[in-house]
Amino acid sequence: LGTARTAAPVRADDAEALVRAELSDLFQLDRFIAPMREEWSASDPRMQSVCAALSGMRILRQDPVECLFSFICSSNNNIGRITGMLQAIRRTYGERIPLSEPAVDGLRLSQDDFFAFPTAAALAAASETEL
């Protein structure tokens, strides 16, 4: 959720609006998915089964650089390891995402927990050994 992040914490009501807007964009909630699901189902029997089983499935609008690195990390790995590798990349090369609230619905949040995926330029500056 990087496009609307700011350098300084924002008010809680502004933060909620930003998060809602970013999640809406990420899950492309403004797009009507039914025509796409019909097209996929008509062109591929496997997708027909998937669409029938997962009626709430959405297409993510993921940053292309993050998507590419996620794909590279996925080769011969399990979800836990992929998640750990991507988190290490975020923590090492990404920018910290400031929090306006230390807790949400009773869940304590640490400033150390949230980092944006780094830019291609930030990753290009890292050595092959570092990566």
Side-chain angles (χ1 to χ4, degrees):
L1 302 175
T3 58
R5 91 190 122 139
T6 60
V10 294
R11 291 188 356 232
D13 54 340
D14 292 339
E16 183 176 339
L18 287 173
V19 169
R20 285 184 183 279
E22 293 235 358
L23 287 173
S24 179
D25 183 58
L26 176 67
F27 289 105
Q28 299 188 57
L29 298 179
D30 60 331
R31 295 195 62 182
F32 191 57
I33 196 92
M36 290 185 280
R37 292 167 46 95
E38 290 171 11
E39 183 179 335
W40 302 332
S41 294
S43 64
D44 181 18
R46 173 100 171 112
M47 276 307 292
Q48 184 176 23
S49 298
V50 169
C51 288
L54 303 172
S55 62
M57 177 178 62
R58 302 297 301 182
I59 302 169
L60 297 181
R61 185 189 315 270
Q62 188 177 23
D63 174 75
V65 172
E66 183 175 3
C67 184
L68 174 64
F69 276 81
S70 298
F71 175 74
I72 291 168
C73 290
S74 70
S75 179
N76 297 317
N77 283 304
N78 61 49
I79 293 172
R81 185 148 191 255
I82 295 165
T83 302
M85 290 187 318
L86 293 172
Q87 183 61 18
I89 290 171
R90 284 185 195 92
R91 204 176 283 281
T92 304
Y93 303 104
E95 293 181 28
R96 182 180 306 280
I97 298 174
L99 299 176
S100 60
E101 301 284 328
V104 174
D105 294 331
L107 174 66
R108 298 280 317 148
L109 303 173
S110 167
Q111 290 288 344
D112 295 331
D113 292 339
F114 300 94
F115 290 83
F117 198 83
T119 63
L123 292 169
S127 71
E128 188 176 336
T129 304
E130 289 175 322
L131 293 173

PDB file of all heavy atoms in Angstrom, residues 5 63-67 69 85-96 115-124 126 131:
ATOM      1  N   ARG A   5       1.187   6.729   0.819  1.00  0.00           N
ATOM      2  CA  ARG A   5       1.869   6.889   2.097  1.00  0.00           C
ATOM      3  C   ARG A   5       2.537   8.251   2.171  1.00  0.00           C
ATOM      4  O   ARG A   5       2.861   8.859   1.162  1.00  0.00           O
ATOM      5  CB  ARG A   5       2.819   5.729   2.327  1.00  0.00           C
ATOM      6  CG  ARG A   5       4.178   5.900   1.850  1.00  0.00           C
ATOM      7  CD  ARG A   5       4.890   4.606   1.940  1.00  0.00           C
ATOM      8  NE  ARG A   5       5.238   4.521   0.568  1.00  0.00           N
ATOM      9  CZ  ARG A   5       6.327   4.138   0.039  1.00  0.00           C
ATOM     10  NH1 ARG A   5       7.182   3.597   0.711  1.00  0.00           N
ATOM     11  NH2 ARG A   5       6.592   4.227  -1.203  1.00  0.00           N
ATOM     12  N   ASP A  63       2.129  -3.669  -7.529  1.00  0.00           N
ATOM     13  CA  ASP A  63       3.231  -2.951  -8.144  1.00  0.00           C
ATOM     14  C   ASP A  63       4.038  -3.928  -8.995  1.00  0.00           C
ATOM     15  O   ASP A  63       4.378  -5.028  -8.534  1.00  0.00           O
ATOM     16  CB  ASP A  63       4.120  -2.344  -7.045  1.00  0.00           C
ATOM     17  CG  ASP A  63       5.367  -1.716  -7.610  1.00  0.00           C
ATOM     18  OD1 ASP A  63       5.263  -0.620  -8.188  1.00  0.00           O
ATOM     19  OD2 ASP A  63       6.442  -2.342  -7.489  1.00  0.00           O
ATOM     20  N   PRO A  64       4.368  -3.588 -10.255  1.00  0.00           N
ATOM     21  CA  PRO A  64       5.075  -4.527 -11.136  1.00  0.00           C
ATOM     22  C   PRO A  64       6.426  -5.000 -10.600  1.00  0.00           C
ATOM     23  O   PRO A  64       6.774  -6.166 -10.761  1.00  0.00           O
ATOM     24  CB  PRO A  64       5.249  -3.733 -12.437  1.00  0.00           C
ATOM     25  CG  PRO A  64       4.187  -2.704 -12.407  1.00  0.00           C
ATOM     26  CD  PRO A  64       3.975  -2.373 -10.944  1.00  0.00           C
ATOM     27  N   VAL A  65       7.174  -4.120  -9.945  1.00  0.00           N
ATOM     28  CA  VAL A  65       8.485  -4.521  -9.398  1.00  0.00           C
ATOM     29  C   VAL A  65       8.284  -5.536  -8.279  1.00  0.00           C
ATOM     30  O   VAL A  65       8.957  -6.573  -8.234  1.00  0.00           O
ATOM     31  CB  VAL A  65       9.282  -3.293  -8.907  1.00  0.00           C
ATOM     32  CG1 VAL A  65      10.551  -3.716  -8.172  1.00  0.00           C
ATOM     33  CG2 VAL A  65       9.627  -2.380 -10.081  1.00  0.00           C
ATOM     34  N   GLU A  66       7.343  -5.273  -7.382  1.00  0.00           N
ATOM     35  CA  GLU A  66       7.061  -6.213  -6.294  1.00  0.00           C
ATOM     36  C   GLU A  66       6.566  -7.544  -6.854  1.00  0.00           C
ATOM     37  O   GLU A  66       6.953  -8.618  -6.389  1.00  0.00           O
ATOM     38  CB  GLU A  66       6.040  -5.626  -5.333  1.00  0.00           C
ATOM     39  CG  GLU A  66       5.762  -6.526  -4.142  1.00  0.00           C
ATOM     40  CD  GLU A  66       4.838  -5.892  -3.125  1.00  0.00           C
ATOM     41  OE1 GLU A  66       4.343  -4.760  -3.348  1.00  0.00           O
ATOM     42  OE2 GLU A  66       4.612  -6.527  -2.082  1.00  0.00           O
ATOM     43  N   CYS A  67       5.733  -7.492  -7.878  1.00  0.00           N
ATOM     44  CA  CYS A  67       5.210  -8.709  -8.502  1.00  0.00           C
ATOM     45  C   CYS A  67       6.354  -9.531  -9.097  1.00  0.00           C
ATOM     46  O   CYS A  67       6.415 -10.752  -8.920  1.00  0.00           O
ATOM     47  CB  CYS A  67       4.191  -8.339  -9.573  1.00  0.00           C
ATOM     48  SG  CYS A  67       3.401  -9.747 -10.339  1.00  0.00           S
ATOM     49  N   PHE A  69       9.596  -9.524  -8.270  1.00  0.00           N
ATOM     50  CA  PHE A  69      10.432 -10.113  -7.227  1.00  0.00           C
ATOM     51  C   PHE A  69       9.707 -11.226  -6.485  1.00  0.00           C
ATOM     52  O   PHE A  69      10.317 -12.219  -6.097  1.00  0.00           O
ATOM     53  CB  PHE A  69      10.957  -9.030  -6.267  1.00  0.00           C
ATOM     54  CG  PHE A  69      12.196  -8.371  -6.785  1.00  0.00           C
ATOM     55  CD1 PHE A  69      12.120  -7.358  -7.717  1.00  0.00           C
ATOM     56  CD2 PHE A  69      13.443  -8.811  -6.383  1.00  0.00           C
ATOM     57  CE1 PHE A  69      13.258  -6.776  -8.229  1.00  0.00           C
ATOM     58  CE2 PHE A  69      14.594  -8.234  -6.883  1.00  0.00           C
ATOM     59  CZ  PHE A  69      14.505  -7.208  -7.813  1.00  0.00           C
ATOM     60  N   MET A  85      11.340 -14.014   2.687  1.00  0.00           N
ATOM     61  CA  MET A  85      12.303 -13.382   1.783  1.00  0.00           C
ATOM     62  C   MET A  85      11.824 -11.989   1.376  1.00  0.00           C
ATOM     63  O   MET A  85      12.606 -11.029   1.360  1.00  0.00           O
ATOM     64  CB  MET A  85      12.531 -14.250   0.542  1.00  0.00           C
ATOM     65  CG  MET A  85      13.286 -15.533   0.857  1.00  0.00           C
ATOM     66  SD  MET A  85      13.784 -16.554  -0.557  1.00  0.00           S
ATOM     67  CE  MET A  85      12.407 -16.550  -1.642  1.00  0.00           C
ATOM     68  N   LEU A  86      10.531 -11.861   1.053  1.00  0.00           N
ATOM     69  CA  LEU A  86      10.003 -10.558   0.648  1.00  0.00           C
ATOM     70  C   LEU A  86      10.025  -9.572   1.812  1.00  0.00           C
ATOM     71  O   LEU A  86      10.320  -8.389   1.628  1.00  0.00           O
ATOM     72  CB  LEU A  86       8.595 -10.711   0.080  1.00  0.00           C
ATOM     73  CG  LEU A  86       8.526 -11.482  -1.238  1.00  0.00           C
ATOM     74  CD1 LEU A  86       7.072 -11.747  -1.623  1.00  0.00           C
ATOM     75  CD2 LEU A  86       9.251 -10.752  -2.349  1.00  0.00           C
ATOM     76  N   GLN A  87       9.730 -10.044   3.019  1.00  0.00           N
ATOM     77  CA  GLN A  87       9.783  -9.173   4.194  1.00  0.00           C
ATOM     78  C   GLN A  87      11.216  -8.703   4.438  1.00  0.00           C
ATOM     79  O   GLN A  87      11.441  -7.540   4.779  1.00  0.00           O
ATOM     80  CB  GLN A  87       9.223  -9.881   5.434  1.00  0.00           C
ATOM     81  CG  GLN A  87       9.182  -9.018   6.675  1.00  0.00           C
ATOM     82  CD  GLN A  87       8.290  -7.781   6.532  1.00  0.00           C
ATOM     83  OE1 GLN A  87       7.436  -7.697   5.659  1.00  0.00           O
ATOM     84  NE2 GLN A  87       8.495  -6.808   7.379  1.00  0.00           N
ATOM     85  N   ALA A  88      12.194  -9.581   4.253  1.00  0.00           N
ATOM     86  CA  ALA A  88      13.602  -9.193   4.426  1.00  0.00           C
ATOM     87  C   ALA A  88      14.002  -8.131   3.403  1.00  0.00           C
ATOM     88  O   ALA A  88      14.723  -7.177   3.730  1.00  0.00           O
ATOM     89  CB  ALA A  88      14.505 -10.419   4.306  1.00  0.00           C
ATOM     90  N   ILE A  89      13.535  -8.267   2.170  1.00  0.00           N
ATOM     91  CA  ILE A  89      13.825  -7.263   1.141  1.00  0.00           C
ATOM     92  C   ILE A  89      13.193  -5.928   1.529  1.00  0.00           C
ATOM     93  O   ILE A  89      13.833  -4.872   1.449  1.00  0.00           O
ATOM     94  CB  ILE A  89      13.329  -7.739  -0.243  1.00  0.00           C
ATOM     95  CG1 ILE A  89      14.191  -8.900  -0.743  1.00  0.00           C
ATOM     96  CG2 ILE A  89      13.340  -6.585  -1.251  1.00  0.00           C
ATOM     97  CD1 ILE A  89      13.654  -9.586  -1.998  1.00  0.00           C
ATOM     98  N   ARG A  90      11.931  -5.950   1.981  1.00  0.00           N
ATOM     99  CA  ARG A  90      11.259  -4.710   2.396  1.00  0.00           C
ATOM    100  C   ARG A  90      12.003  -4.045   3.550  1.00  0.00           C
ATOM    101  O   ARG A  90      12.235  -2.847   3.548  1.00  0.00           O
ATOM    102  CB  ARG A  90       9.823  -4.992   2.847  1.00  0.00           C
ATOM    103  CG  ARG A  90       8.856  -5.234   1.754  1.00  0.00           C
ATOM    104  CD  ARG A  90       7.429  -5.389   2.334  1.00  0.00           C
ATOM    105  NE  ARG A  90       6.551  -5.955   1.357  1.00  0.00           N
ATOM    106  CZ  ARG A  90       6.313  -7.255   1.208  1.00  0.00           C
ATOM    107  NH1 ARG A  90       6.852  -8.136   2.025  1.00  0.00           N
ATOM    108  NH2 ARG A  90       5.511  -7.688   0.264  1.00  0.00           N
ATOM    109  N   ARG A  91      12.326  -4.849   4.559  1.00  0.00           N
ATOM    110  CA  ARG A  91      12.968  -4.327   5.768  1.00  0.00           C
ATOM    111  C   ARG A  91      14.356  -3.748   5.473  1.00  0.00           C
ATOM    112  O   ARG A  91      14.751  -2.744   6.045  1.00  0.00           O
ATOM    113  CB  ARG A  91      13.081  -5.462   6.792  1.00  0.00           C
ATOM    114  CG  ARG A  91      13.171  -5.017   8.208  1.00  0.00           C
ATOM    115  CD  ARG A  91      13.173  -6.215   9.159  1.00  0.00           C
ATOM    116  NE  ARG A  91      11.856  -6.793   9.351  1.00  0.00           N
ATOM    117  CZ  ARG A  91      10.929  -6.274  10.156  1.00  0.00           C
ATOM    118  NH1 ARG A  91      11.162  -5.167  10.803  1.00  0.00           N
ATOM    119  NH2 ARG A  91       9.764  -6.857  10.288  1.00  0.00           N
ATOM    120  N   THR A  92      15.101  -4.387   4.568  1.00  0.00           N
ATOM    121  CA  THR A  92      16.468  -3.959   4.269  1.00  0.00           C
ATOM    122  C   THR A  92      16.526  -2.779   3.304  1.00  0.00           C
ATOM    123  O   THR A  92      17.322  -1.864   3.489  1.00  0.00           O
ATOM    124  CB  THR A  92      17.281  -5.135   3.693  1.00  0.00           C
ATOM    125  OG1 THR A  92      17.225  -6.229   4.619  1.00  0.00           O
ATOM    126  CG2 THR A  92      18.725  -4.755   3.454  1.00  0.00           C
ATOM    127  N   TYR A  93      15.688  -2.782   2.278  1.00  0.00           N
ATOM    128  CA  TYR A  93      15.802  -1.786   1.208  1.00  0.00           C
ATOM    129  C   TYR A  93      14.600  -0.855   1.071  1.00  0.00           C
ATOM    130  O   TYR A  93      14.673   0.145   0.368  1.00  0.00           O
ATOM    131  CB  TYR A  93      16.041  -2.488  -0.135  1.00  0.00           C
ATOM    132  CG  TYR A  93      17.271  -3.355  -0.104  1.00  0.00           C
ATOM    133  CD1 TYR A  93      17.165  -4.735   0.001  1.00  0.00           C
ATOM    134  CD2 TYR A  93      18.538  -2.794  -0.150  1.00  0.00           C
ATOM    135  CE1 TYR A  93      18.287  -5.536   0.046  1.00  0.00           C
ATOM    136  CE2 TYR A  93      19.670  -3.589  -0.099  1.00  0.00           C
ATOM    137  CZ  TYR A  93      19.540  -4.958  -0.001  1.00  0.00           C
ATOM    138  OH  TYR A  93      20.657  -5.744   0.052  1.00  0.00           O
ATOM    139  N   GLY A  94      13.492  -1.170   1.723  1.00  0.00           N
ATOM    140  CA  GLY A  94      12.285  -0.352   1.591  1.00  0.00           C
ATOM    141  C   GLY A  94      12.231   0.772   2.605  1.00  0.00           C
ATOM    142  O   GLY A  94      13.015   0.824   3.553  1.00  0.00           O
ATOM    143  N   GLU A  95      11.290   1.670   2.388  1.00  0.00           N
ATOM    144  CA  GLU A  95      11.082   2.788   3.307  1.00  0.00           C
ATOM    145  C   GLU A  95      10.095   2.380   4.389  1.00  0.00           C
ATOM    146  O   GLU A  95       9.105   1.705   4.118  1.00  0.00           O
ATOM    147  CB  GLU A  95      10.510   3.991   2.556  1.00  0.00           C
ATOM    148  CG  GLU A  95      11.468   4.604   1.569  1.00  0.00           C
ATOM    149  CD  GLU A  95      10.842   5.800   0.869  1.00  0.00           C
ATOM    150  OE1 GLU A  95       9.958   6.457   1.470  1.00  0.00           O
ATOM    151  OE2 GLU A  95      11.225   6.061  -0.275  1.00  0.00           O
ATOM    152  N   ARG A  96      10.372   2.833   5.609  1.00  0.00           N
ATOM    153  CA  ARG A  96       9.463   2.571   6.730  1.00  0.00           C
ATOM    154  C   ARG A  96       8.138   3.284   6.471  1.00  0.00           C
ATOM    155  O   ARG A  96       8.106   4.405   5.987  1.00  0.00           O
ATOM    156  CB  ARG A  96      10.082   3.077   8.033  1.00  0.00           C
ATOM    157  CG  ARG A  96       9.235   2.819   9.266  1.00  0.00           C
ATOM    158  CD  ARG A  96       9.894   3.350  10.533  1.00  0.00           C
ATOM    159  NE  ARG A  96      11.237   2.853  10.714  1.00  0.00           N
ATOM    160  CZ  ARG A  96      11.556   1.652  11.204  1.00  0.00           C
ATOM    161  NH1 ARG A  96      10.595   0.828  11.558  1.00  0.00           N
ATOM    162  NH2 ARG A  96      12.803   1.280  11.337  1.00  0.00           N
ATOM    163  N   PHE A 115       7.046  -1.847   6.186  1.00  0.00           N
ATOM    164  CA  PHE A 115       7.964  -1.280   5.211  1.00  0.00           C
ATOM    165  C   PHE A 115       7.357  -1.445   3.823  1.00  0.00           C
ATOM    166  O   PHE A 115       6.772  -2.481   3.514  1.00  0.00           O
ATOM    167  CB  PHE A 115       9.314  -2.012   5.234  1.00  0.00           C
ATOM    168  CG  PHE A 115      10.111  -1.754   6.483  1.00  0.00           C
ATOM    169  CD1 PHE A 115       9.868  -2.480   7.636  1.00  0.00           C
ATOM    170  CD2 PHE A 115      11.091  -0.786   6.499  1.00  0.00           C
ATOM    171  CE1 PHE A 115      10.596  -2.244   8.790  1.00  0.00           C
ATOM    172  CE2 PHE A 115      11.821  -0.537   7.647  1.00  0.00           C
ATOM    173  CZ  PHE A 115      11.573  -1.278   8.800  1.00  0.00           C
ATOM    174  N   ALA A 116       7.531  -0.421   2.986  1.00  0.00           N
ATOM    175  CA  ALA A 116       7.079  -0.509   1.600  1.00  0.00           C
ATOM    176  C   ALA A 116       8.071  -1.366   0.818  1.00  0.00           C
ATOM    177  O   ALA A 116       9.243  -1.473   1.190  1.00  0.00           O
ATOM    178  CB  ALA A 116       7.014   0.886   0.989  1.00  0.00           C
ATOM    179  N   PHE A 117       7.594  -1.967  -0.265  1.00  0.00           N
ATOM    180  CA  PHE A 117       8.521  -2.698  -1.118  1.00  0.00           C
ATOM    181  C   PHE A 117       9.432  -1.663  -1.762  1.00  0.00           C
ATOM    182  O   PHE A 117       8.993  -0.606  -2.180  1.00  0.00           O
ATOM    183  CB  PHE A 117       7.774  -3.509  -2.184  1.00  0.00           C
ATOM    184  CG  PHE A 117       8.631  -4.581  -2.778  1.00  0.00           C
ATOM    185  CD1 PHE A 117       8.771  -5.794  -2.131  1.00  0.00           C
ATOM    186  CD2 PHE A 117       9.326  -4.361  -3.951  1.00  0.00           C
ATOM    187  CE1 PHE A 117       9.584  -6.780  -2.652  1.00  0.00           C
ATOM    188  CE2 PHE A 117      10.138  -5.346  -4.486  1.00  0.00           C
ATOM    189  CZ  PHE A 117      10.264  -6.557  -3.833  1.00  0.00           C
ATOM    190  N   PRO A 118      10.739  -1.943  -1.821  1.00  0.00           N
ATOM    191  CA  PRO A 118      11.678  -0.953  -2.360  1.00  0.00           C
ATOM    192  C   PRO A 118      11.472  -0.704  -3.854  1.00  0.00           C
ATOM    193  O   PRO A 118      10.922  -1.540  -4.570  1.00  0.00           O
ATOM    194  CB  PRO A 118      13.056  -1.588  -2.100  1.00  0.00           C
ATOM    195  CG  PRO A 118      12.792  -3.038  -1.940  1.00  0.00           C
ATOM    196  CD  PRO A 118      11.397  -3.171  -1.402  1.00  0.00           C
ATOM    197  N   THR A 119      11.943   0.433  -4.289  1.00  0.00           N
ATOM    198  CA  THR A 119      11.884   0.769  -5.708  1.00  0.00           C
ATOM    199  C   THR A 119      12.923  -0.053  -6.467  1.00  0.00           C
ATOM    200  O   THR A 119      13.864  -0.601  -5.876  1.00  0.00           O
ATOM    201  CB  THR A 119      12.193   2.256  -5.927  1.00  0.00           C
ATOM    202  OG1 THR A 119      13.541   2.505  -5.485  1.00  0.00           O
ATOM    203  CG2 THR A 119      11.208   3.148  -5.171  1.00  0.00           C
ATOM    204  N   ALA A 120      12.770  -0.097  -7.770  1.00  0.00           N
ATOM    205  CA  ALA A 120      13.756  -0.782  -8.613  1.00  0.00           C
ATOM    206  C   ALA A 120      15.124  -0.125  -8.446  1.00  0.00           C
ATOM    207  O   ALA A 120      16.156  -0.811  -8.415  1.00  0.00           O
ATOM    208  CB  ALA A 120      13.314  -0.755 -10.067  1.00  0.00           C
ATOM    209  N   ALA A 121      15.154   1.193  -8.301  1.00  0.00           N
ATOM    210  CA  ALA A 121      16.427   1.916  -8.124  1.00  0.00           C
ATOM    211  C   ALA A 121      17.113   1.500  -6.824  1.00  0.00           C
ATOM    212  O   ALA A 121      18.333   1.319  -6.792  1.00  0.00           O
ATOM    213  CB  ALA A 121      16.189   3.423  -8.161  1.00  0.00           C
ATOM    214  N   ALA A 122      16.341   1.359  -5.751  1.00  0.00           N
ATOM    215  CA  ALA A 122      16.926   0.943  -4.464  1.00  0.00           C
ATOM    216  C   ALA A 122      17.498  -0.461  -4.562  1.00  0.00           C
ATOM    217  O   ALA A 122      18.576  -0.745  -4.018  1.00  0.00           O
ATOM    218  CB  ALA A 122      15.881   1.017  -3.362  1.00  0.00           C
ATOM    219  N   LEU A 123      16.811  -1.346  -5.256  1.00  0.00           N
ATOM    220  CA  LEU A 123      17.316  -2.716  -5.422  1.00  0.00           C
ATOM    221  C   LEU A 123      18.522  -2.759  -6.336  1.00  0.00           C
ATOM    222  O   LEU A 123      19.459  -3.536  -6.116  1.00  0.00           O
ATOM    223  CB  LEU A 123      16.209  -3.627  -5.933  1.00  0.00           C
ATOM    224  CG  LEU A 123      15.083  -3.886  -4.941  1.00  0.00           C
ATOM    225  CD1 LEU A 123      13.915  -4.577  -5.606  1.00  0.00           C
ATOM    226  CD2 LEU A 123      15.587  -4.692  -3.751  1.00  0.00           C
ATOM    227  N   ALA A 124      18.526  -1.909  -7.375  1.00  0.00           N
ATOM    228  CA  ALA A 124      19.662  -1.871  -8.310  1.00  0.00           C
ATOM    229  C   ALA A 124      20.931  -1.393  -7.619  1.00  0.00           C
ATOM    230  O   ALA A 124      22.039  -1.772  -7.997  1.00  0.00           O
ATOM    231  CB  ALA A 124      19.333  -0.972  -9.501  1.00  0.00           C
ATOM    232  N   ALA A 126      21.849  -2.175  -4.625  1.00  0.00           N
ATOM    233  CA  ALA A 126      22.359  -3.249  -3.768  1.00  0.00           C
ATOM    234  C   ALA A 126      23.273  -4.163  -4.591  1.00  0.00           C
ATOM    235  O   ALA A 126      23.049  -4.374  -5.785  1.00  0.00           O
ATOM    236  CB  ALA A 126      21.206  -4.054  -3.188  1.00  0.00           C
ATOM    237  N   LEU A 131      21.953  -9.002  -2.026  1.00  0.00           N
ATOM    238  CA  LEU A 131      20.647  -9.561  -2.376  1.00  0.00           C
ATOM    239  C   LEU A 131      20.655 -11.055  -2.188  1.00  0.00           C
ATOM    240  O   LEU A 131      19.681 -11.678  -1.905  1.00  0.00           O
ATOM    241  CB  LEU A 131      20.265  -9.197  -3.816  1.00  0.00           C
ATOM    242  CG  LEU A 131      20.011  -7.710  -4.042  1.00  0.00           C
ATOM    243  CD1 LEU A 131      19.801  -7.437  -5.526  1.00  0.00           C
ATOM    244  CD2 LEU A 131      18.780  -7.241  -3.277  1.00  0.00           C
TER     245      LEU A 131
END
